[in-house]
């Protein structure tokens, strides 16, 4: 690990808005704030919204600015990246934002039943080879159900046609109510006011993808607690790329 990363990790240990519980810690130290985010950290009764895979925390911080009456928690395992958003939030005095450094696979250990109202999945890795790792798979949706209110909202914003298509099939197969969906977010008319406000937030890489001519896709759906979730049995064309700087893929044509 480089000196820069070590310095960021050391500084994050002093941040009042960061909670660090990776696999190596959570097994030995239970998360006492589970079920108490509002009274022990935010000190209000406002809704809680999570951004899973928040990276540098750009989205988490900007959402907190736009919606001061909502509490936001950015979640990621990459501490050196998270440092950017956490530091910015502290410097700007944002009281409605926190960061949790942990593995998303164990996200259900940190929030109690009905403690969270909405989830944001922003530019998640599409995980084209492994359905279990996709953040809209049954593996993860079942975990979200343990702490998301019944019928809570899941937002997916992505440049990946594969992940967008997969998630669309997931909602159809499981009859999850879709509130809005578009395969070209920035050229869609008739958006509601909240969505228009959110459009003003563009991360560094999102701006590059847009300049490159890639469509940004978005789907918003409810996640009821009832019924067993099943995976869609469909073949989906793979994306030709996985991120801005990675080469095109050519070894496979479809994935499930």
């Amino acid at each position: 690990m480089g000196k820069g990363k070590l310095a960021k990790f050391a500084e994050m240990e002093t941040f009042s808005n960061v909670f660090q519980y990776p696999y190596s810690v959570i097994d030995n130290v239970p998360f006492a704030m589970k079920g108490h985010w509002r009274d022990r950290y935010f000190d209000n009764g406002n809704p809680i919204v999570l951004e899973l895979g928040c990276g540098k925390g750009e989205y988490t911080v900007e959402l907190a600015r736009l919606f001061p009456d909502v509490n936001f928690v950015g979640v990621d395992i990459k501490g050196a990246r998270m440092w950017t958003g956490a530091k910015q939030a502290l410097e700007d005095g944002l009281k409605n934002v926190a960061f949790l450094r942990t593995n998303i696979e164990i996200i259900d250990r940190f929030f109690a039943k009905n403690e969270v109202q909405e989830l944001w999945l922003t530019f998640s890795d599409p995980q084209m080879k492994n359905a279990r790792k996709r953040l809209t798979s049954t593996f993860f949706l079942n975990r979200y159900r343990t702490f998301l209110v019944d019928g809570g909202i899941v937002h997916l914003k992505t440049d990946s046609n594969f992940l967008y298509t997969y998630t669309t099939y997931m909602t159809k197969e499981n009859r999850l109510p879709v509130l809005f969906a578009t395969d070209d977010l920035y050229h869609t008319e008739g958006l509601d006011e909240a969505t228009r406000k959110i459009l003003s937030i563009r991360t560094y890489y999102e701006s590059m993808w847009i300049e490159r001519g890639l469509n940004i896709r978005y789907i918003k759906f409810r996640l009821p607690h009832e019924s067993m979730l099943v995976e869609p049995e469909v073949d989906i064309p793979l994306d030709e790329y996985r991120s801005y700087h990675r080469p095109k893929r050519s070894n496979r044509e479809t994935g499930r």
Side-chain angles (χ1 to χ4, degrees), residues 158-160 183-185 187 209-210 213-217 241:
T158 181
D159 64 301
S160 169
D183 60 4
D184 192 359
L185 181 60
H187 296 93
W209 291 327
I210 293 172
L214 302 179
N215 286 358
I216 303 302
R217 296 162 171 83
Y241 62 92

Side-chain angles (χ1 to χ4, degrees), residues 126 128-129 159 209 212 214 238-252:
M128 292 183 281
K129 290 185 177 181
D159 64 301
W209 291 327
R212 196 183 182 198
L214 302 179
L238 299 179
D239 297 332
E240 295 182 347
Y241 62 92
R242 291 189 63 184
S243 70
Y244 184 72
H245 292 294
R246 291 180 184 172
K248 292 183 177 181
R249 298 167 59 91
S250 59
N251 58 326
R252 296 174 63 197

Side-chain angles (χ1 to χ4, degrees), residues 19 50 84 159 234 241:
F19 303 87
L50 308 187
T84 302
D159 64 301
V234 293
Y241 62 92

